[in-house]
Amino acid sequence: MLGQVEAVDLVKEFRTFKRKEGLWGAVQDLFSREYTTLRAVNDVSFQITPGEMVGYIGPNGAGKSTTVKMLTGILVPTSGEVRANGYVPYRERTAYTRTIGAVFGQRTQLWWDIAVVESFRLLKRIYDVSDADYEARMARFDDILAINRYLHQPVRKLSLGERMRCDMVAALLHNPPLLFLDEPTIGLDLLAKENIRQFLKEVNREYGTTILLTTHDLSDIEELCSRLMIIDHGHILFDGPLDELKRMLWRQTQIKFELKDVAQGVAIETFELPGVGKERLDELTYRFSFDREDFTSGDVIRRVVSTAEIRDIFIEEESIEEIVKRIYTGSTLPAMQQR
Amino acid sequence: MTAALALSRQLGDLLEFSRIGFVNILAFRLRYYTGIVTYLINVTVYYFIWKALYATDPDFAAGFTFAEMVTYVSVGWVIRSVYFNNIDQNISYEVMEGKIALSLLKPVSVQSMQMGRALGESAFRLVMLTIPAGIVISLVFPVQGPASAPHFGFFLISLAASILLTGALNFIVGTFAIRMKSILGLLRAKYFVFELLSGLLVPMTMFPDTLQKIVAYLPFQHIAYTPLRLYLGKLNESEIYEALALQYLWIIALAVFGAWFWNLMVRKVTIHGG
């Protein structure tokens, strides 16, 4: 089997009923309800090969969580097929769940009022982890996450960062070949985020764990994922390497010029080029921005350089956040459909 | 062979969840010191009610003398502290908080998880609440001892069944939460049905004949009425075996139904969305 996870034409529809307004509406609802069907996931197909780390992003309500729930076997697809680790998740849930791990950033799977280590012991037991494996993994995980310090504290006393580290360990104690992470870095401080990312990298490298993660923090993707999938309104808009997305959608280029001396400012102030925006950052630095379709960087640089004496040139690419924001607002859809 | 292996694994999982339940409740042990007082107050209230009723008519309750009735009420409340559980509430909370999804991701049935946890909590309460409350109540009120040593043995076997039976029933009640989201109303209704039909408030013999006949075909009276009759020695030998067999048959039937009902409800939610 090539794909460890395979989704073919996956569709999930939810039936919700419209609540009528007011008291009379509530009474009416008791007898007849108007149902509306919402397509949360619409014809989604993809494959994930073993060892891949895939970032799955999209605005709130785009269908991310619904997809993850179908992949983990919590939801049954309305139509289409899904297979993971050789199982049809919803059909063979109990057997399948032995082969996956999952972390939901918003919720903990640890018992709230008891020491973390008690939860671990329970997981060790229900996943049949041997003592030797348990000890070895705990030692390895502690190397990176340093969780031993608070293993004997109840979860309610842990900070969010500490709790998330423990949740990661809980999901990986049985060394599943496939790991689902739903917003694993939500609400974490920079150090905790960095630590969790490093941990995921190590796990992926050492155990070859395949990881699918959803996030709103694009730096998670930049640091971890070789591949990115973007979903919106139930459709997959993009599926490929991050670099490809940048190449395809990097539209706005910004070049910062640092003048040789203040005297050069006069020349630069008179410089005009229709379609190229000019912004004075301070008396020595100016920023020019333009559409990559209209101008090449070389073109703009040549013109500026022939106008004034320049000390340094910095080309700034559009940040991934900017690109993704454009995708979410729909302004780049035509460009993507040309693909 | 594989069936035996699967069973031993299930029992192992169950025990592990019991341990967690036990450890978990440990965090709230303070609550149980006040629990003893609560049970003492309950018994006191019923003691005086029965005393007043028997004062007007010594044959008030068919087949129970006043001394037996005091014992019935006292032992009834004491064992209630061990057989009750909150499986239905727990499931309801999990559904409301969306944590049920995490439970579905575990390779163990939710029924075993909940049952295991409830058993652990019962074990904890047995030590922290039932035994101390039993001692205090028997010192304050004229509580009779068990009818005989064998009767006490059968009573204990029957009490174990009460725990499992309550668990199986509460699991079914909790399962309604999957569709209904909030079952607070249902929980309240269940509370009164259980108190009344289990025989905790009054023995079944005080019910109208028709109701008695109907209730005989329901599982509820096996929660309290059956173990209490065993304690008081109200059953002859063949009746004892019949009562115990019925108790355990109900457990099996309700557990099987509960598992089936749970799967049905979960499938509906996972197909149509919540």
Side-chain angles (χ1 to χ4, degrees):
Chain A
M1 187 184 67
L2 182 70
Q4 187 173 6
V5 178
E6 285 175 341
V8 184
D9 302 328
L10 217 48
V11 172
K12 181 69 194 175
E13 286 177 348
F14 289 113
R15 209 176 59 157
T16 51
F17 72 91
K18 266 195 249 168
R19 276 182 206 277
K20 297 192 186 73
E21 279 174 44
L23 187 63
W24 175 237
V27 175
Q28 280 179 297
D29 274 343
L30 287 176
F31 300 101
S32 73
R33 289 173 167 185
E34 264 177 65
Y35 286 97
T36 45
T37 305
L38 174 81
R39 240 176 205 229
V41 170
N42 198 353
D43 271 331
V44 164
S45 301
F46 58 83
Q47 265 198 8
I48 299 174
T49 48
E52 257 191 307
M53 285 176 103
V54 181
Y56 193 41
I57 65 168
N60 291 326
K64 287 186 309 266
S65 294
T66 308
T67 315
V68 172
K69 280 181 183 158
M70 285 193 278
L71 294 177
T72 48
I74 299 173
L75 287 178
V76 182
T78 307
S79 69
E81 277 171 52
V82 56
R83 277 186 87 77
N85 289 344
Y87 294 99
V88 176
Y90 63 91
R91 209 174 288 153
E92 302 147 286
R93 196 173 55 222
T94 320
Y96 172 60
T97 48
R98 289 190 168 275
T99 67
I100 61 165
V103 174
F104 294 90
Q106 313 265 34
R107 300 198 176 96
T108 179
Q109 61 164 315
L110 306 164
W111 274 261
W112 196 245
D113 294 303
I114 59 177
V116 179
V117 69
E118 299 285 353
S119 292
F120 286 173
R121 240 180 258 163
L122 176 113
L123 293 169
K124 169 183 179 295
R125 159 76 226 184
I126 63 174
Y127 286 102
D128 294 318
V129 180
S130 72
D131 290 341
D133 282 345
Y134 178 79
E135 297 299 333
R137 281 173 206 156
M138 284 303 283
R140 186 68 192 95
F141 294 159
D142 181 59
D143 282 347
I144 313 170
L145 295 174
I147 52 166
N148 281 357
R149 288 178 287 132
Y150 39 81
L151 230 41
H152 292 278
Q153 301 226 7
V155 177
R156 66 185 138 85
K157 287 193 180 163
L158 300 185
S159 74
L160 183 61
E162 291 167 343
R163 201 210 80 200
M164 187 55 69
R165 288 177 174 96
C166 293
D167 258 307
M168 286 285 166
V169 172
L172 288 163
L173 265 183
H174 57 297
N175 191 20
L178 179 58
L179 178 64
F180 294 98
L181 304 168
D182 197 8
E183 304 188 14
T185 57
I186 192 161
L188 300 185
D189 66 50
L190 285 173
L191 284 177
K193 267 186 195 177
E194 193 43 55
N195 194 207
I196 297 269
R197 285 175 192 153
Q198 189 207 343
F199 176 68
L200 291 174
K201 263 187 240 176
E202 294 277 321
V203 165
N204 174 260
R205 197 174 49 81
E206 260 184 61
Y207 303 101
T209 313
T210 309
I211 300 177
L212 178 81
L213 72 99
T214 78
T215 185
H216 288 296
D217 185 348
L218 291 161
S219 43
D220 284 347
I221 311 271
E222 286 185 292
E223 282 201 33
L224 292 175
C225 302
S226 48
R227 178 177 159 200
L228 176 68
M229 294 198 290
I230 303 179
I231 187 172
D232 198 7
H233 300 297
H235 289 283
I236 298 263
L237 296 179
F238 175 83
D239 182 356
L242 189 61
D243 294 339
E244 192 189 315
L245 180 78
K246 280 188 190 167
R247 248 197 330 275
M248 212 171 73
L249 293 177
W250 175 18
R251 204 167 65 190
Q252 201 77 12
T253 302
Q254 296 184 328
I255 306 180
K256 213 163 75 182
F257 292 92
E258 201 183 310
L259 306 180
K260 189 169 164 246
D261 50 54
V262 186
Q264 302 299 322
V266 185
I268 244 5
E269 283 293 346
T270 57
F271 179 85
E272 286 289 347
L273 191 58
V276 177
K278 184 176 68 179
E279 189 187 351
R280 182 178 186 269
L281 299 177
D282 60 49
E283 55 186 10
L284 280 179
T285 33
Y286 285 78
R287 183 194 280 144
F288 290 79
S289 49
F290 51 90
D291 201 313
R292 282 165 54 88
E293 301 270 300
D294 304 335
F295 296 94
T296 64
S297 297
D299 203 14
V300 173
I301 291 169
R302 194 171 57 239
R303 288 177 198 233
V304 175
V305 166
S306 62
T307 312
E309 282 208 58
I310 302 298
R311 183 177 302 280
D312 277 314
I313 300 172
F314 307 94
I315 300 182
E316 299 169 340
E317 62 177 4
E318 195 173 21
S319 74
I320 183 72
E321 272 89 0
E322 288 296 322
I323 293 176
V324 168
K325 203 160 77 190
R326 288 215 317 268
I327 296 174
Y328 288 179
T329 53
S331 58
T332 52
L333 229 58
M336 306 191 68
Q337 277 159 359
Q338 279 167 19
R339 219 154 66 96
Chain B
M1 182 61 206
T2 37
L5 211 71
L7 188 71
S8 83
R9 176 190 229 161
Q10 274 210 329
L11 281 178
D13 289 349
L14 199 81
L15 274 178
E16 196 56 35
F17 278 101
S18 302
R19 196 181 63 79
I20 287 287
F22 193 99
V23 176
N24 195 41
I25 207 170
L26 212 64
F28 304 102
R29 54 186 169 276
L30 220 71
R31 193 189 289 172
Y32 289 95
Y33 301 130
T34 55
I36 297 171
V37 178
T38 311
Y39 277 84
L40 186 64
I41 291 171
N42 272 325
V43 173
T44 310
V45 169
Y46 285 101
Y47 174 81
F48 284 109
I49 291 175
W50 286 117
K51 198 174 176 184
L53 291 171
Y54 272 89
T56 53
D57 178 7
D59 296 321
F60 184 79
F64 287 86
T65 64
F66 177 63
E68 282 176 335
M69 190 55 89
V70 171
T71 306
Y72 186 94
V73 169
S74 305
V75 178
W77 279 95
V78 169
I79 62 170
R80 184 190 179 277
S81 68
V82 69
Y83 69 63
F84 93 89
N85 61 60
N86 298 322
I87 291 180
D88 43 4
Q89 257 182 50
N90 294 340
I91 296 176
S92 172
Y93 284 136
E94 281 198 17
V95 169
M96 279 193 280
E97 289 168 13
K99 285 196 96 169
I100 202 75
L102 291 174
S103 295
L104 290 176
L105 282 176
K106 297 275 181 298
V108 181
S109 82
V110 173
Q111 197 179 24
S112 329
M113 278 192 242
Q114 292 290 345
M115 197 65 200
R117 184 176 156 188
L119 289 179
E121 292 178 358
S122 281
F124 180 87
R125 283 196 307 265
L126 179 69
V127 180
M128 291 298 290
L129 182 56
T130 310
I131 291 173
I135 291 169
V136 171
I137 287 171
S138 67
L139 289 176
V140 176
F141 296 103
V143 181
Q144 295 177 348
S148 71
H151 274 102
F152 189 64
F154 288 125
F155 162 76
L156 291 181
I157 297 169
S158 177
L159 181 56
S162 302
I163 298 173
L164 296 170
L165 190 57
T166 315
L169 279 166
N170 279 344
F171 182 75
I172 293 169
V173 174
T175 301
F176 279 101
I178 298 180
R179 281 306 289 282
M180 295 166 61
K181 298 293 179 290
S182 170
I183 53 166
L184 292 179
L186 185 64
L187 290 185
R188 183 153 295 200
K190 182 219 80 173
Y191 178 80
F192 289 114
V193 169
F194 271 39
E195 304 279 274
L196 191 65
L197 297 188
S198 68
L200 174 65
L201 296 184
V202 292
M204 288 347 217
T205 46
M206 295 187 64
F207 282 35
D209 281 348
T210 1
L211 192 57
Q212 270 190 54
K213 279 184 192 131
I214 297 170
V215 170
Y217 289 101
L218 296 175
F220 306 105
Q221 65 170 8
H222 293 296
I223 295 174
Y225 188 53
T226 300
L228 288 174
R229 276 187 303 167
L230 285 165
Y231 183 92
L232 287 170
K234 292 274 174 194
L235 299 178
N236 65 35
E237 205 181 325
S238 69
E239 283 171 336
I240 289 175
Y241 292 122
E242 193 192 312
L244 288 176
L246 263 176
Q247 265 191 313
Y248 282 92
L249 281 175
W250 269 116
I251 294 168
I252 295 167
L254 289 169
V256 169
F257 173 78
W260 173 83
F261 184 47
W262 172 267
N263 285 333
L264 180 81
M265 292 305 239
V266 166
R267 208 177 313 139
K268 280 205 167 141
V269 165
T270 56
I271 290 172
H272 297 301

